[in-house]
Amino acid sequence: MTGRYVFLLAALAAAHKVVVEVVCQSRCPDCQRTVLGPLREVLEDPSMAEYIDLRFYPWGNAYFATQQCGGAPYASTKRQCWYDYCHVKSPPEDCYTGAVVSQHLEPERTVDRRVGCGIHLQASWHKHWPYVECMYNATRTLDKANQKEVGTVSLLRMAELTISAETCATAHGFDSNAIETCASGKEGDTVQDRFAKATPKHPGTPTLVINGRQVVMDYDHPPVPNLYSEICQAAAHKPASCVSRAMIDLNGKHWRKASKRRATKMDRKRKHHQVKAEQV
């Protein structure tokens, strides 16, 4: 009875999970802000994490060079062409054999490949997420430190990148040698191909899909997505934080209304005194 009860609880919990899909690339500033901001906040909230099934795609806006669509330098039109050409039931032979073209050059491909290997080696997002977060934080730090070199391959010096990857792996329970072996060999090629095929067609990065519905993003003026709101709306069983955050939002809404009423009242008083002053 105990085993059956545990199984039923596990099945019930799985049925209530919200599938959160995230398409990102390590050197995209908006991805860095999303991963290290609202996504981290939600995933580190125990009451929310219990109901989330995270699927992180570190392929981002990359594509394989093909004869049909072209290769480097990166172009969004080539990327869209590659998706249309290759994300089909029977893709042409050259879809996953050419050079990988990353939007932010070779250093991004190197980081994304290591992130992919980390996810591959620790399938549970609860185990691989701290490593992913650490890698994004390290990449952002290196980007800022070398911002004068934007647009060059040397932006992330490979020695610094290797040290960061080893540090993140060791700090979060990974075998750094296993990640390096994966990233530098055929295992990494297999992982990379898997993410390339699994990543859904998307307008840009970051792309967030919650229970199959894509979160609307303005890529010209990217807002910080309100993931609490999006996930709480999608959740069949509301996590505790959904209730508490709703109360905060509600109180904030009431406070804003009250502030607006006070401002309107003060504005009327100012106009009244101004009229009286003009009459005098």
Side-chain angles (χ1 to χ4, degrees), residues 73-89:
Y74 175 89
S76 60
T77 52
K78 296 176 185 177
R79 177 175 71 86
Q80 294 295 344
C81 173
W82 176 77
Y83 267 92
D84 293 336
Y85 179 62
C86 297
H87 276 224
V88 293
K89 189 174 182 179

Side-chain angles (χ1 to χ4, degrees), residues 129-279:
W129 171 252
Y131 171 74
V132 173
E133 182 186 312
C134 182
M135 288 295 289
Y136 268 71
N137 189 48
T139 304
R140 182 174 66 173
T141 299
L142 290 171
D143 276 347
K144 288 181 177 180
N146 297 280
Q147 57 186 334
K148 292 182 179 179
E149 300 175 21
V150 171
T152 69
V153 172
S154 61
L155 177 59
L156 287 180
R157 291 186 288 275
M158 291 304 171
E160 294 177 311
L161 180 59
T162 301
I163 292 172
S164 296
E166 290 176 355
T167 301
C168 287
T170 303
H172 298 291
F174 281 82
D175 181 343
S176 61
N177 290 328
I179 289 182
E180 289 304 312
T181 300
C182 170
S184 61
K186 290 185 178 180
E187 185 180 12
D189 292 338
T190 301
V191 172
Q192 181 176 256
D193 291 357
R194 176 164 63 86
F195 280 115
K197 293 172 182 176
T199 301
K201 187 175 181 179
H202 55 281
T205 57
T207 289
L208 297 105
V209 181
I210 297 178
N211 275 1
R213 184 183 67 81
Q214 185 172 312
V215 177
V216 177
M217 301 282 287
D218 181 353
Y219 292 100
D220 293 323
H221 306 89
V224 176
N226 187 343
L227 288 184
Y228 268 97
S229 175
E230 296 287 347
I231 292 171
C232 289
Q233 287 180 38
H237 179 86
K238 304 300 180 188
S241 288
C242 290
V243 178
S244 60
R245 297 282 294 211
M247 290 302 295
I248 292 171
D249 291 343
L250 185 63
N251 290 335
K253 186 177 180 181
H254 289 167
W255 181 85
R256 286 191 296 272
K257 283 184 176 180
S259 297
K260 189 174 181 181
R261 285 196 298 269
R262 285 194 296 270
T264 302
K265 189 175 181 180
M266 290 176 66
D267 190 47
R268 288 201 198 100
K269 284 185 177 181
R270 279 195 297 269
K271 288 182 179 179
H272 175 72
H273 290 308
Q274 184 179 357
V275 170
K276 290 193 72 176
E278 288 174 353
Q279 288 175 346

Side-chain angles (χ1 to χ4, degrees), residues 24-32 60-62 74 101-112 139 143 150-156 205:
C24 265
Q25 50 193 6
S26 57
R27 290 189 59 212
C28 165
D30 294 328
C31 284
Q32 292 170 357
N61 289 339
Y74 175 89
V101 181
S102 293
Q103 184 174 0
H104 301 101
L105 307 178
E106 181 64 18
E108 180 169 77
R109 188 186 78 86
T110 301
V111 175
D112 291 346
T139 304
D143 276 347
V150 171
T152 69
V153 172
S154 61
L155 177 59
L156 287 180
T205 57

